[in-house]
Amino acid sequence: MFPALETELKQEVGTLPLRELLRNPVLLDQKTCPDPYEDFMYHHLQYYGYFKAQRGSLPNSASHQHVRKNNPRYGLSGSFGEREDVIPDPLQKEKLLWPTCVSSAAHRQIEAVSRDPLMLSSPLKSRQLLHDEFGEVNPCLREPRDLFAFFPSSGPLQAPRWPIECEVIKENLHHIEWVPPQPEYFYQPTGNEKLPEIVGEEKGTVVYQLDSVPTEGSYFTSSRVGGKRGIIREPAVTLQGPEDNTLLFESRFESGNLQKAVRVDTYEYELTLRTDLYTNKHTQWFYFRVQNTRKDTTYRFTIVNLLKPKSLYTVGMKPLMYSQLDANTHNVGWRREGNEIRYYKNNTDDGQQPFYCLTWTIQFPHDQDTCFFAHFYPYTYTDLQCYLLSVANNPVQSQFCKLRTLCRSLAGNTVYLLTITNPSRTPREAAAKKAVVLSARVHPGESNGSWIMKGFLDFILSNSPDAQLLRDIFVFKVVPMLNPDGVIVGNYRCSLAGRDLNRHYKTILKESFPCIWYTRNMVKRLLEEREVLLYCDFHGHSRKNNIFLYGCKNNDRKYWLHERVFPLMLSKNAPDKFSFQSCNFKVQKCKEGTGRVVMWRMGILNSYTMESTFGGSTLGNKRDTHFTIEDLKSLGYHVCDTLLDFCDPDRTKFMQCLAELKELLKQEIHKKFDELGQDMDLEGNWSDISLSDIESSTSGSDSSLSDGLPVHLLSMADEVNQKKKMYKKKKKKPLQTRKQRNEQYQKNNLMRELKLIEDAPERAGFASALQKQPTFFRNSENASSSMMRNEKPRLNESQLRGRDKGTSLDPSKMTSLILTKNREGMQIQKPRFTVSCCPKRSTNSSQEPAPDMKPLWPRNRYPATKRSRATMTVYPSLHIYTYP
């Protein structure tokens, strides 16, 4: 599939300086350059003609004959630097879209070479100008290359680019999709599970180990197809004969993750996972291969360096196993396997952060089989490219699905952007369409997000009437893989910058975090064109079962609780997978850099993070069973189905859900105040109570805190901030008319007079200040009446703090407390705080049905998924979680 990976470098130019090689491009034409940086310089400078050459030595570009003269110094004839041939078209050699990605230091060297007066002293040969048949320059530029022709029908896919430190085996792995015929239930602990003691390599035998893995303290510099240069060594042990039953491990393939394997007994192995590249943490995702298996023999595997104290493995989740023989003979794919599963703390104390262990036993189905183990169903960058290739080659789907390059990742891998919508008949109809933005895999180890995205794409690109309707009324902007670098190298959370991208959506460092910067910029430009109805980023969760959403509570009275309607509808459409009780809508300060919060701050009311479990469901018919690939793909369909319900011109469903949300929240408020032992009158305007007081602050998120910028990027951020301050234009005050100047003058005089009047009693003494007290009451009454007129009474933060302490908010009492404190300096006795809000509220029974009303939820679109909605589902009390 990737010819570039199969090409071996048979000859090398040597260790000649780059400048000397560029002055003799004949050397680079004749031999393949083994260095990716040299190859990049060759293509880049050759393309733009930055070569030292005689004025008459450049023939016309229509001729493609290559006449080489040997130079005695290098075994070739001719003089040094002389050139009489035509440089071949570099596009013929570029089988990949992005020849090589280099660091910023390399780009600076390119600029330095480009500015070399020795190189620029002779006329430049540009391939952008057209030449006629006589070799004369035609003052006309060539047509630009097609930037978006990613997938030629007959050409190869873009090979993944790896950091130059990574060794990569030249094997193409492919796993079939398979749905188990029977539900895969959670593991039920027996209480007799063994807790193996960690032995380590001192007492065991290392059978697999990766040495050249960049960790904390290093940072990404450059990448190339195939990763590290040179011969790929064999890190596994060599079998001594057919009777040797040692397992052979391997993880140096796309998305693989295994650092070390130690054999501590005949059939027992301790495994160490590799941290995210350029970090010293985030060990959760594993994906590796074992060979030389023995049938009907119980093996034990123990992962010894996990970092999370809580895991779904403690509540019955099983690892995934894939047998190559079963796939080839019985068409059986990934399945849940394992017994004696335990997740426990590692007792090894080395003075560092505590580690946790996962142990399980397994019996392989065949002798001499090749098997794979994974934390979850893998979905690689190559899998995505194969899927997009099929879309691009589909004559129907390619009419309404346009593939573009959003940007290049840090390693030079393409970040794809899909625009999905039906062609509009008129410009006015096109402008009236709202937008929906979806993304996935910002955390590379959360492959469940890719399976949900695949299910969404399968449906929205189909010929279903509902899919056609959605394409008629929406413009879908889809980024199916935000972090391809992390996916390729097998990271769990980070990019090659060594940072969690979902904490840097506010970044200004375009070069360091290109995927996030360009995504935010794309959404910003999209908001200038049209309304964005919904943003959703697909994630995975390692500590909670089911599927749920994290949103952002709205502070606008007009749209109160509206952000909860879409999740509630989704829970009705997928009752056995989606849990509304697990949803959370609190915005915490530590989450300000996430995509969900940043898009919400930009003006998208319905901004969500969809969390899908690595485990399974605890709801309905799927209770205590693992999710399959088909379950996750079906949720992509349910997202589309719910979007139609959410935007139905008939607002009956929307208002029914809104009424149900108010009733659920009312019950939760009662419950909360009963726990606090406080009385509250909810017959008035109870909805003005801040939801922050109701929502808990427990750790319900599977996210990490931001580590800030890497050390080598701090100075870059400072430079960018300084430049922004330097070039920030000062806004000039507009010129005022004579009338405006007179009004301003009168206003200033009035303010000075008022200030003098207020200052005079203060100098006269404290008694005079008491005479001013009615003004305070008048201001309070005016503010109160104003609030009543606007029908927007709220409890601010200071009032909430007062309520927590039992403080009354009555103005007269507050005044007396202040005066008592000022006069006597004594401790204030704080009266008990009660709430009684009873302002007028406009209600319309025709728009908002009563909470006790039994709503209808018709379903006429899909008979296969039809289910009775004659009565509203009775939900338990609303539980609201937050994340750290």
Side-chain angles (χ1 to χ4, degrees), residues 755-824:
K755 187 176 181 181
L756 291 175
I757 294 175
E758 292 176 357
D759 292 344
E762 293 180 0
R763 292 190 296 269
F766 187 78
S768 301
L770 295 178
Q771 298 176 1
K772 290 292 179 180
Q773 203 59 42
T775 305
F776 174 81
F777 291 114
R778 285 197 300 272
N779 293 339
S780 302
E781 292 171 0
N782 292 339
S784 175
S785 61
S786 174
M787 183 181 296
M788 296 285 287
R789 287 195 301 272
N790 294 333
E791 298 182 9
K792 293 184 179 181
R794 293 180 179 272
L795 299 181
N796 57 32
E797 296 181 0
S798 61
Q799 291 171 336
L800 290 175
R801 289 194 296 268
R803 187 190 67 188
D804 295 337
K805 298 177 182 179
T807 309
S808 174
L809 300 182
D810 184 35
S812 61
K813 294 182 180 181
M814 290 176 62
T815 307
S816 62
L817 292 176
I818 296 172
L819 294 179
T820 304
K821 183 175 181 179
N822 289 338
R823 287 179 176 177
E824 303 177 9

Side-chain angles (χ1 to χ4, degrees), residues 390-418:
S390 66
V391 173
N393 291 335
N394 188 306
V396 177
Q397 294 178 345
S398 59
Q399 296 300 314
F400 50 78
C401 178
K402 303 301 180 184
L403 273 64
R404 297 291 185 266
T405 293
L406 177 66
C407 64
R408 302 282 182 178
S409 67
L410 208 58
N413 295 296
T414 302
V415 180
Y416 297 102
L417 172 66
L418 283 67

Side-chain angles (χ1 to χ4, degrees), residues 549-554 563-565 567-568 580 583-587 596 607-608 661 691 695 878 880-883:
L549 287 174
Y550 290 145
C552 303
K553 66 180 179 64
N554 182 43
E563 73 280 354
R564 303 174 186 234
V565 174
L568 183 60
F580 181 74
C583 295
N584 179 272
F585 303 91
K586 189 171 184 178
V587 178
R596 165 179 61 97
S607 181
Y608 304 107
L661 285 169
L691 299 181
E695 294 177 330
L878 178 64
I880 305 177
Y881 301 91
T882 63
Y883 13 179

Side-chain angles (χ1 to χ4, degrees), residues 436-711:
V436 174
V437 180
L438 302 176
S439 61
R441 294 303 283 278
V442 67
H443 292 153
E446 298 171 359
S447 58
N448 28 15
S450 283
W451 292 110
I452 296 177
M453 178 65 75
K454 188 175 187 298
F456 166 79
L457 292 175
D458 285 343
F459 179 78
I460 201 65
L461 297 176
S462 67
N463 58 359
S464 164
D466 279 5
Q468 295 179 15
L469 178 60
L470 285 170
R471 296 196 301 265
D472 285 336
I473 61 180
F474 290 112
V475 176
F476 292 92
K477 294 287 187 178
V478 180
V479 186
M481 192 170 286
L482 273 167
N483 189 357
D485 295 346
V487 173
I488 289 170
V489 301
N491 279 2
Y492 176 58
R493 290 192 73 86
C494 298
S495 69
L496 294 184
R499 292 296 181 267
D500 184 349
L501 292 183
N502 202 35
R503 296 297 178 272
H504 290 84
Y505 269 87
K506 299 167 68 174
T507 184
I508 58 175
L509 300 178
K510 178 171 63 174
E511 291 78 10
S512 301
F513 306 99
C515 311
I516 296 307
W517 191 94
Y518 280 99
T519 299
R520 185 190 64 194
N521 192 54
M522 179 268 293
V523 175
K524 181 180 179 180
R525 289 187 285 106
L526 188 63
L527 284 168
E528 296 173 355
E529 298 174 2
R530 62 186 78 244
E531 177 187 351
V532 178
L533 179 71
L534 182 138
Y535 166 86
C536 190
D537 190 20
F538 297 150
H539 285 248
H541 207 285
S542 67
R543 289 181 288 177
K544 293 171 65 176
N545 279 310
N546 306 313
I547 301 172
F548 46 93
L549 287 174
Y550 290 145
C552 303
K553 66 180 179 64
N554 182 43
N555 297 322
D556 191 343
R557 171 81 178 164
K558 181 180 178 181
Y559 302 106
W560 187 66
L561 294 180
H562 283 204
E563 73 280 354
R564 303 174 186 234
V565 174
F566 184 85
L568 183 60
M569 286 183 172
L570 189 55
S571 69
K572 295 178 180 297
N573 289 336
D576 55 351
K577 304 181 187 71
F578 190 90
S579 171
F580 181 74
Q581 296 182 18
S582 299
C583 295
N584 179 272
F585 303 91
K586 189 171 184 178
V587 178
Q588 293 180 282
K589 186 176 180 180
C590 61
K591 300 297 168 36
E592 287 291 336
T594 62
R596 165 179 61 97
V597 177
V598 170
M599 301 304 171
W600 176 65
R601 299 282 188 202
M602 292 170 62
I604 303 177
L605 174 64
N606 303 294
S607 181
Y608 304 107
T609 295
M610 177 174 288
E611 298 280 357
S612 56
T613 180
F614 288 112
S617 174
T618 60
L619 307 170
N621 298 329
K622 289 190 172 295
R623 184 179 182 86
D624 296 333
T625 62
H626 289 89
F627 280 152
T628 64
I629 291 176
E630 203 61 33
D631 290 330
L632 296 176
K633 291 168 65 176
S634 69
L635 196 77
Y637 153 73
H638 288 306
V639 169
C640 298
D641 194 30
T642 305
L643 197 55
L644 283 175
D645 292 337
F646 188 70
C647 300
D648 195 336
D650 182 3
R651 306 296 285 170
T652 304
K653 294 179 183 179
F654 187 94
M655 301 311 297
Q656 288 172 354
C657 286
L658 201 59
E660 184 178 354
L661 285 169
K662 293 178 181 178
E663 182 63 23
L664 291 174
L665 187 60
K666 200 172 184 179
Q667 296 174 7
E668 188 66 22
I669 293 174
H670 271 299
K671 180 181 178 181
K672 190 73 174 180
F673 276 84
D674 288 343
E675 294 175 357
L676 297 176
Q678 295 183 356
D679 298 329
M680 182 167 182
D681 179 17
L682 295 182
E683 300 302 326
N685 198 4
W686 59 272
S687 59
D688 287 315
I689 296 176
S690 174
L691 299 181
S692 299
D693 289 350
I694 308 302
E695 294 177 330
S696 60
S697 297
T698 57
S699 177
S701 171
D702 192 37
S703 58
S704 60
L705 298 177
S706 174
D707 295 325
L709 293 175
V711 177

Side-chain angles (χ1 to χ4, degrees), residues 182-232:
Q182 300 296 329
E184 297 179 309
Y185 287 94
F186 292 158
Y187 173 74
Q188 301 298 327
T190 62
N192 298 322
E193 288 82 7
K194 176 184 175 182
L195 295 181
E197 182 181 355
I198 306 304
V199 175
E201 58 183 278
E202 292 80 8
K203 298 181 181 180
T205 304
V206 177
V207 296
Y208 177 83
Q209 184 167 7
L210 298 181
D211 295 327
S212 59
V213 176
T215 57
E216 188 183 26
S218 59
Y219 52 87
F220 171 77
T221 55
S222 60
S223 68
R224 68 186 295 268
V225 174
K228 190 175 182 179
R229 302 185 192 88
I231 300 175
I232 303 300

Side-chain angles (χ1 to χ4, degrees), residues 857-875:
W857 197 273
R859 170 76 59 169
N860 300 321
R861 293 195 296 273
Y862 286 91
T865 60
K866 186 183 298 183
R867 55 188 179 85
S868 174
R869 295 186 183 177
T871 60
M872 181 69 73
T873 306
V874 179
Y875 286 86

